[in-house]
Amino acid sequence: MPNRILKESICTSSEIDQLTPEQEICFYRLIVNCDDYGRIDARPQILRAKCFPLKVDKIKDTKINAWLKQLSLKNLIYLYQVG
């Protein structure tokens, strides 16, 4: 798994400041789980298993979808389909 370095400027980012605490946590967990090109399978059940392995029974697909939608609306992630 690749390592990621987050700069302290993330604490003063106006884009990050617009997120709820849950959305921010999701964003950070996406960063540390994506590949070297910044990609990750965005199916909710896959994200739950990769990003929240100790909370798979507590986080629902609808919550993950809502977080992804907000991150996308704020241009922090880009969602696309393959095939």
Side-chain angles (χ1 to χ4, degrees), residues 42-78:
R43 289 178 289 175
Q45 61 272 31
I46 302 296
L47 289 180
R48 187 171 52 247
K50 283 188 170 189
C51 296
F52 300 94
L54 300 178
K55 299 179 186 298
V56 292
D57 57 336
K58 297 176 185 172
I59 297 176
K60 305 291 182 210
D61 288 354
T62 53
K63 191 57 108 168
I64 291 176
N65 279 328
W67 295 336
L68 292 177
K69 182 177 180 181
Q70 288 305 309
L71 293 172
S72 179
L73 287 172
K74 293 181 176 29
N75 293 319
L76 293 169
I77 64 169
Y78 296 99

Side-chain angles (χ1 to χ4, degrees), residues 3 8 10 16-17 19-20 26 28 31-35 37 43-45 47-48 50 52-53 55 67-68 70-71 81:
N3 290 321
E8 66 275 357
I10 202 164
I16 299 296
D17 186 54
L19 301 175
T20 66
C26 181
Y28 296 147
I31 289 172
V32 299
N33 280 285
C34 64
D35 68 14
Y37 299 99
R43 289 178 289 175
Q45 61 272 31
L47 289 180
R48 187 171 52 247
K50 283 188 170 189
F52 300 94
K55 299 179 186 298
W67 295 336
L68 292 177
Q70 288 305 309
L71 293 172
Q81 292 183 346

Side-chain angles (χ1 to χ4, degrees), residues 11-22:
C11 296
T12 56
S13 165
S14 58
E15 290 86 5
I16 299 296
D17 186 54
Q18 294 175 23
L19 301 175
T20 66
E22 288 179 329

